[in-house]
Amino acid sequence: MTKLYAGGCGCGAIHYETSSEPIVESHCQCRDCQKRSGTGHGSYLVFPRRADVTITGEAKEWRVAGDSGNEKLHAFCPTCGTPVYLTFVAMPELIAVHATSLDDPSQFHPQMVTYGIRGHAWDTLASSLQKFERMPPPG
């Protein structure tokens, strides 16, 4: 049976769905994710092919260079402001959705923490998760 990942923004203007499996599920403690989430980290499911994710509704995007220097495009709902997904200029096939934007957030099963070097003592994450100072090496 194929698992469906579906979600969207708070007001329902933007919706996405895919039957693809995420290639990674992670928490990110970089400053950009902290500022955007309003807390100590962002939580994401990354899918390998943007073309396999159906998106309805019109998102607004803003661009920022991450700690790595690579640019990310953050998509959010222009009506309610909910961050919904992000894409990466250097890896245009990938798409990451915010874990809390899922219709069923219990589908999120984090595997790692990235940019742990930027983490705050008050933002405690499961100690069982592999923690990387920055991004993990490819492979």
Side-chain angles (χ1 to χ4, degrees):
M1 182 168 175
T2 303
K3 188 178 203 175
L4 182 68
Y5 293 89
C9 67
C11 72
I14 299 172
H15 186 263
Y16 63 82
E17 65 180 47
T18 185
S19 56
S20 293
E21 285 294 317
I23 55 173
V24 70
E25 299 179 51
S26 66
H27 297 299
C28 181
Q29 293 184 311
C30 77
R31 287 293 292 145
D32 179 47
C33 287
Q34 292 172 4
K35 288 178 180 182
R36 189 179 54 266
S37 71
T39 186
H41 65 278
S43 301
Y44 308 95
L45 295 89
V46 180
F47 294 94
R49 289 184 28 87
R50 184 177 182 183
D52 292 340
V53 179
T54 302
I55 301 169
T56 56
E58 193 79 25
K60 286 285 225 183
E61 291 182 341
W62 60 282
R63 183 182 295 241
V64 65
D67 278 354
S68 67
N70 291 325
E71 289 189 315
K72 302 179 281 187
L73 288 108
H74 296 279
F76 66 96
C77 176
T79 302
C80 67
T82 302
V84 183
Y85 61 91
L86 63 143
T87 56
F88 311 90
V89 173
M91 297 170 283
E93 284 297 310
L94 297 181
I95 184 169
V97 300
H98 291 262
T100 55
S101 74
L102 288 166
D103 291 341
D104 179 5
S106 72
Q107 289 180 296
F108 176 61
H109 302 287
Q111 301 160 305
M112 69 177 75
V113 177
T114 58
Y115 283 93
I117 197 167
R118 304 268 193 259
H120 303 286
W122 49 261
D123 184 38
T124 56
L125 299 169
S127 61
S128 61
L129 294 174
Q130 189 171 11
K131 194 172 196 174
F132 295 92
E133 281 194 5
R134 290 180 171 73
M135 289 301 288

